[in-house]
Amino acid sequence: MGEDKRKIKAIEVGCEILHELKERDGARIVELAEALDRSQPTVHTYLDTLRELGFVEKDGHTYRVGLQFLPMGEYARNREELYLAGRDKVESLATETGEYVHLIAPHQGRQIKLFEHYGDKAVATEHHIRRREFRQYLHRSAAGKAILAEYPADKVDEIIDEHGLEGATENTITDRETLLNELDTIRERGYATNDQELTTGLRSVGASIVGPQNEVRGAISISAPLERCREEEFHHTFSEKIRESSNVIQINIDIENHFF
């Protein structure tokens, strides 16, 4: 039986308004109505409803995304098995290396950051914090490419077709064939790299995390500036540590599924 495509229009419109508020970092009714091609009274009605529920806040004539999303997000994360199984390892690896370590989960062809920890030498912390607010492209990061390498070819093609291969720096892979070749390399060596492909001056190493049924759960990644991530660290020290961390998290997930 095919997937049921029936949708509730009112929920779609409400989500459109919320996304537009996020993208604009707040907006007035007239701006939202123009951007979404809807009447001002319609937008106003949705905003009033969302405001009563705590999902929107009003500051003068400007509406913004509300704080009600914080407890909702915490609830969603606390029910995520990957987060529960991996947060301690993320913290310990960041403390051990002094670098920035994060845990991600795939979501609708992109990636969402579940957890992160900063070692005492970690750089670009504000940059990383800002990136929490967005779903990132998988092809730009070590963790994302590690996830892509676990997928079958048809799913990788589907993701590329839907989301494209937009560049972030001059090092970002923006060619399909080049990416597919890199995914083959990742499968062979067991880890993925990001050589200034998302942020100039930063290198990352990532490894995928799979569940008991060999399903892709997510990935763990470590990032460091160029001066602390030369070839030895890039392809040996950090890659070994990240693969070991991935294995520990996978064991934690297996144990949870076995006993519970």
Side-chain angles (χ1 to χ4, degrees), residues 99 121 123 196 200-203 224-231 233 238:
E99 305 295 355
K121 297 183 292 185
V123 299
Q196 305 183 78
T200 301
L202 281 180
R203 278 179 154 182
L226 280 174
E227 63 267 22
R228 294 201 300 270
C229 193
R230 302 298 182 184
E231 292 307 302
E233 291 82 8
F238 286 160

PDB file of all heavy atoms in Angstrom, residues 99 121 123 196 200-203 224-231 233 238:
ATOM      1  N   GLU A  99      39.012  19.192  22.336  1.00  0.00           N
ATOM      2  CA  GLU A  99      38.403  19.713  21.111  1.00  0.00           C
ATOM      3  C   GLU A  99      36.876  19.687  21.188  1.00  0.00           C
ATOM      4  O   GLU A  99      36.280  19.297  22.191  1.00  0.00           O
ATOM      5  CB  GLU A  99      38.899  18.916  19.898  1.00  0.00           C
ATOM      6  CG  GLU A  99      40.412  18.853  19.751  1.00  0.00           C
ATOM      7  CD  GLU A  99      41.067  20.205  19.478  1.00  0.00           C
ATOM      8  OE1 GLU A  99      40.351  21.220  19.311  1.00  0.00           O
ATOM      9  OE2 GLU A  99      42.306  20.259  19.428  1.00  0.00           O
ATOM     10  N   LYS A 121      40.184  23.441  24.607  1.00  0.00           N
ATOM     11  CA  LYS A 121      40.878  24.079  23.488  1.00  0.00           C
ATOM     12  C   LYS A 121      39.950  24.329  22.299  1.00  0.00           C
ATOM     13  O   LYS A 121      40.396  24.791  21.245  1.00  0.00           O
ATOM     14  CB  LYS A 121      42.067  23.230  23.041  1.00  0.00           C
ATOM     15  CG  LYS A 121      43.149  23.046  24.094  1.00  0.00           C
ATOM     16  CD  LYS A 121      44.329  22.256  23.548  1.00  0.00           C
ATOM     17  CE  LYS A 121      43.950  20.814  23.268  1.00  0.00           C
ATOM     18  NZ  LYS A 121      45.095  19.981  22.856  1.00  0.00           N
ATOM     19  N   VAL A 123      37.540  25.684  19.510  1.00  0.00           N
ATOM     20  CA  VAL A 123      37.454  27.003  18.885  1.00  0.00           C
ATOM     21  C   VAL A 123      36.100  27.159  18.192  1.00  0.00           C
ATOM     22  O   VAL A 123      35.355  26.208  18.011  1.00  0.00           O
ATOM     23  CB  VAL A 123      38.593  27.207  17.857  1.00  0.00           C
ATOM     24  CG1 VAL A 123      39.948  27.105  18.542  1.00  0.00           C
ATOM     25  CG2 VAL A 123      38.490  26.189  16.721  1.00  0.00           C
ATOM     26  N   GLN A 196      38.014  21.375   5.799  1.00  0.00           N
ATOM     27  CA  GLN A 196      37.613  22.764   5.570  1.00  0.00           C
ATOM     28  C   GLN A 196      36.464  22.869   4.566  1.00  0.00           C
ATOM     29  O   GLN A 196      36.384  23.817   3.798  1.00  0.00           O
ATOM     30  CB  GLN A 196      38.802  23.601   5.085  1.00  0.00           C
ATOM     31  CG  GLN A 196      40.018  23.563   5.988  1.00  0.00           C
ATOM     32  CD  GLN A 196      41.126  24.464   5.496  1.00  0.00           C
ATOM     33  OE1 GLN A 196      41.079  25.682   5.681  1.00  0.00           O
ATOM     34  NE2 GLN A 196      42.118  23.882   4.840  1.00  0.00           N
ATOM     35  N   THR A 200      36.186  27.298   6.802  1.00  0.00           N
ATOM     36  CA  THR A 200      37.597  27.463   6.496  1.00  0.00           C
ATOM     37  C   THR A 200      38.412  27.479   7.782  1.00  0.00           C
ATOM     38  O   THR A 200      38.078  28.179   8.738  1.00  0.00           O
ATOM     39  CB  THR A 200      37.832  28.767   5.713  1.00  0.00           C
ATOM     40  OG1 THR A 200      37.063  28.731   4.507  1.00  0.00           O
ATOM     41  CG2 THR A 200      39.299  28.937   5.366  1.00  0.00           C
ATOM     42  N   GLY A 201      39.471  26.675   7.808  1.00  0.00           N
ATOM     43  CA  GLY A 201      40.336  26.615   8.974  1.00  0.00           C
ATOM     44  C   GLY A 201      40.017  25.501   9.939  1.00  0.00           C
ATOM     45  O   GLY A 201      40.770  25.261  10.886  1.00  0.00           O
ATOM     46  N   LEU A 202      38.904  24.776   9.708  1.00  0.00           N
ATOM     47  CA  LEU A 202      38.515  23.678  10.594  1.00  0.00           C
ATOM     48  C   LEU A 202      38.502  22.352   9.835  1.00  0.00           C
ATOM     49  O   LEU A 202      38.013  22.269   8.704  1.00  0.00           O
ATOM     50  CB  LEU A 202      37.127  23.920  11.187  1.00  0.00           C
ATOM     51  CG  LEU A 202      37.001  24.894  12.353  1.00  0.00           C
ATOM     52  CD1 LEU A 202      35.543  24.981  12.792  1.00  0.00           C
ATOM     53  CD2 LEU A 202      37.874  24.486  13.523  1.00  0.00           C
ATOM     54  N   ARG A 203      39.029  21.333  10.482  1.00  0.00           N
ATOM     55  CA  ARG A 203      38.968  19.969   9.967  1.00  0.00           C
ATOM     56  C   ARG A 203      38.168  19.107  10.942  1.00  0.00           C
ATOM     57  O   ARG A 203      38.179  19.360  12.152  1.00  0.00           O
ATOM     58  CB  ARG A 203      40.379  19.384   9.829  1.00  0.00           C
ATOM     59  CG  ARG A 203      41.103  19.780   8.561  1.00  0.00           C
ATOM     60  CD  ARG A 203      42.495  19.174   8.538  1.00  0.00           C
ATOM     61  NE  ARG A 203      42.990  18.992   7.179  1.00  0.00           N
ATOM     62  CZ  ARG A 203      44.175  18.447   6.875  1.00  0.00           C
ATOM     63  NH1 ARG A 203      44.982  18.041   7.846  1.00  0.00           N
ATOM     64  NH2 ARG A 203      44.537  18.305   5.616  1.00  0.00           N
ATOM     65  N   ALA A 224      38.690  20.270  14.873  1.00  0.00           N
ATOM     66  CA  ALA A 224      39.840  20.983  15.417  1.00  0.00           C
ATOM     67  C   ALA A 224      40.401  21.910  14.347  1.00  0.00           C
ATOM     68  O   ALA A 224      40.243  21.664  13.150  1.00  0.00           O
ATOM     69  CB  ALA A 224      40.918  19.996  15.871  1.00  0.00           C
ATOM     70  N   PRO A 225      41.077  22.978  14.771  1.00  0.00           N
ATOM     71  CA  PRO A 225      41.699  23.876  13.796  1.00  0.00           C
ATOM     72  C   PRO A 225      42.879  23.206  13.109  1.00  0.00           C
ATOM     73  O   PRO A 225      43.443  22.232  13.616  1.00  0.00           O
ATOM     74  CB  PRO A 225      42.156  25.062  14.656  1.00  0.00           C
ATOM     75  CG  PRO A 225      42.320  24.487  16.027  1.00  0.00           C
ATOM     76  CD  PRO A 225      41.265  23.428  16.158  1.00  0.00           C
ATOM     77  N   LEU A 226      43.252  23.746  11.955  1.00  0.00           N
ATOM     78  CA  LEU A 226      44.304  23.149  11.146  1.00  0.00           C
ATOM     79  C   LEU A 226      45.592  22.894  11.914  1.00  0.00           C
ATOM     80  O   LEU A 226      46.219  21.846  11.761  1.00  0.00           O
ATOM     81  CB  LEU A 226      44.611  24.056   9.943  1.00  0.00           C
ATOM     82  CG  LEU A 226      43.669  23.966   8.747  1.00  0.00           C
ATOM     83  CD1 LEU A 226      44.026  25.022   7.718  1.00  0.00           C
ATOM     84  CD2 LEU A 226      43.739  22.579   8.127  1.00  0.00           C
ATOM     85  N   GLU A 227      45.995  23.845  12.750  1.00  0.00           N
ATOM     86  CA  GLU A 227      47.276  23.699  13.432  1.00  0.00           C
ATOM     87  C   GLU A 227      47.294  22.545  14.424  1.00  0.00           C
ATOM     88  O   GLU A 227      48.362  22.065  14.804  1.00  0.00           O
ATOM     89  CB  GLU A 227      47.667  24.999  14.142  1.00  0.00           C
ATOM     90  CG  GLU A 227      46.734  25.447  15.248  1.00  0.00           C
ATOM     91  CD  GLU A 227      45.666  26.404  14.743  1.00  0.00           C
ATOM     92  OE1 GLU A 227      45.391  26.400  13.522  1.00  0.00           O
ATOM     93  OE2 GLU A 227      45.112  27.158  15.565  1.00  0.00           O
ATOM     94  N   ARG A 228      46.121  22.067  14.857  1.00  0.00           N
ATOM     95  CA  ARG A 228      46.054  20.923  15.765  1.00  0.00           C
ATOM     96  C   ARG A 228      45.492  19.692  15.082  1.00  0.00           C
ATOM     97  O   ARG A 228      45.210  18.681  15.743  1.00  0.00           O
ATOM     98  CB  ARG A 228      45.214  21.264  16.997  1.00  0.00           C
ATOM     99  CG  ARG A 228      45.816  22.332  17.882  1.00  0.00           C
ATOM    100  CD  ARG A 228      45.251  22.277  19.294  1.00  0.00           C
ATOM    101  NE  ARG A 228      43.814  22.457  19.350  1.00  0.00           N
ATOM    102  CZ  ARG A 228      43.199  23.632  19.479  1.00  0.00           C
ATOM    103  NH1 ARG A 228      43.923  24.745  19.543  1.00  0.00           N
ATOM    104  NH2 ARG A 228      41.883  23.713  19.544  1.00  0.00           N
ATOM    105  N   CYS A 229      45.310  19.780  13.775  1.00  0.00           N
ATOM    106  CA  CYS A 229      44.760  18.638  13.030  1.00  0.00           C
ATOM    107  C   CYS A 229      45.547  18.448  11.737  1.00  0.00           C
ATOM    108  O   CYS A 229      44.997  18.535  10.642  1.00  0.00           O
ATOM    109  CB  CYS A 229      43.274  18.863  12.759  1.00  0.00           C
ATOM    110  SG  CYS A 229      42.397  17.384  12.194  1.00  0.00           S
ATOM    111  N   ARG A 230      46.845  18.202  11.886  1.00  0.00           N
ATOM    112  CA  ARG A 230      47.689  17.881  10.742  1.00  0.00           C
ATOM    113  C   ARG A 230      47.402  16.444  10.303  1.00  0.00           C
ATOM    114  O   ARG A 230      46.535  15.771  10.844  1.00  0.00           O
ATOM    115  CB  ARG A 230      49.164  18.086  11.101  1.00  0.00           C
ATOM    116  CG  ARG A 230      49.502  19.509  11.575  1.00  0.00           C
ATOM    117  CD  ARG A 230      49.237  20.542  10.498  1.00  0.00           C
ATOM    118  NE  ARG A 230      49.592  21.897  10.935  1.00  0.00           N
ATOM    119  CZ  ARG A 230      49.381  22.980  10.215  1.00  0.00           C
ATOM    120  NH1 ARG A 230      48.797  22.892   9.036  1.00  0.00           N
ATOM    121  NH2 ARG A 230      49.730  24.169  10.678  1.00  0.00           N
ATOM    122  N   GLU A 231      48.156  15.953   9.351  1.00  0.00           N
ATOM    123  CA  GLU A 231      47.858  14.643   8.768  1.00  0.00           C
ATOM    124  C   GLU A 231      47.843  13.522   9.802  1.00  0.00           C
ATOM    125  O   GLU A 231      47.012  12.617   9.746  1.00  0.00           O
ATOM    126  CB  GLU A 231      48.863  14.327   7.652  1.00  0.00           C
ATOM    127  CG  GLU A 231      48.709  15.227   6.442  1.00  0.00           C
ATOM    128  CD  GLU A 231      47.291  15.249   5.902  1.00  0.00           C
ATOM    129  OE1 GLU A 231      46.767  14.176   5.558  1.00  0.00           O
ATOM    130  OE2 GLU A 231      46.690  16.340   5.824  1.00  0.00           O
ATOM    131  N   GLU A 233      47.099  13.606  13.061  1.00  0.00           N
ATOM    132  CA  GLU A 233      45.856  13.657  13.833  1.00  0.00           C
ATOM    133  C   GLU A 233      44.649  13.360  12.947  1.00  0.00           C
ATOM    134  O   GLU A 233      43.733  12.640  13.356  1.00  0.00           O
ATOM    135  CB  GLU A 233      45.678  15.040  14.478  1.00  0.00           C
ATOM    136  CG  GLU A 233      46.656  15.351  15.590  1.00  0.00           C
ATOM    137  CD  GLU A 233      47.990  15.847  15.076  1.00  0.00           C
ATOM    138  OE1 GLU A 233      48.114  16.093  13.849  1.00  0.00           O
ATOM    139  OE2 GLU A 233      48.917  15.980  15.885  1.00  0.00           O
ATOM    140  N   PHE A 238      42.865  11.151  15.602  1.00  0.00           N
ATOM    141  CA  PHE A 238      41.445  11.463  15.727  1.00  0.00           C
ATOM    142  C   PHE A 238      40.561  10.385  15.105  1.00  0.00           C
ATOM    143  O   PHE A 238      39.486  10.076  15.632  1.00  0.00           O
ATOM    144  CB  PHE A 238      41.140  12.822  15.095  1.00  0.00           C
ATOM    145  CG  PHE A 238      41.604  13.994  15.909  1.00  0.00           C
ATOM    146  CD1 PHE A 238      41.781  15.243  15.336  1.00  0.00           C
ATOM    147  CD2 PHE A 238      41.876  13.853  17.263  1.00  0.00           C
ATOM    148  CE1 PHE A 238      42.219  16.324  16.093  1.00  0.00           C
ATOM    149  CE2 PHE A 238      42.309  14.926  18.033  1.00  0.00           C
ATOM    150  CZ  PHE A 238      42.483  16.167  17.443  1.00  0.00           C
TER     151      PHE A 238
END
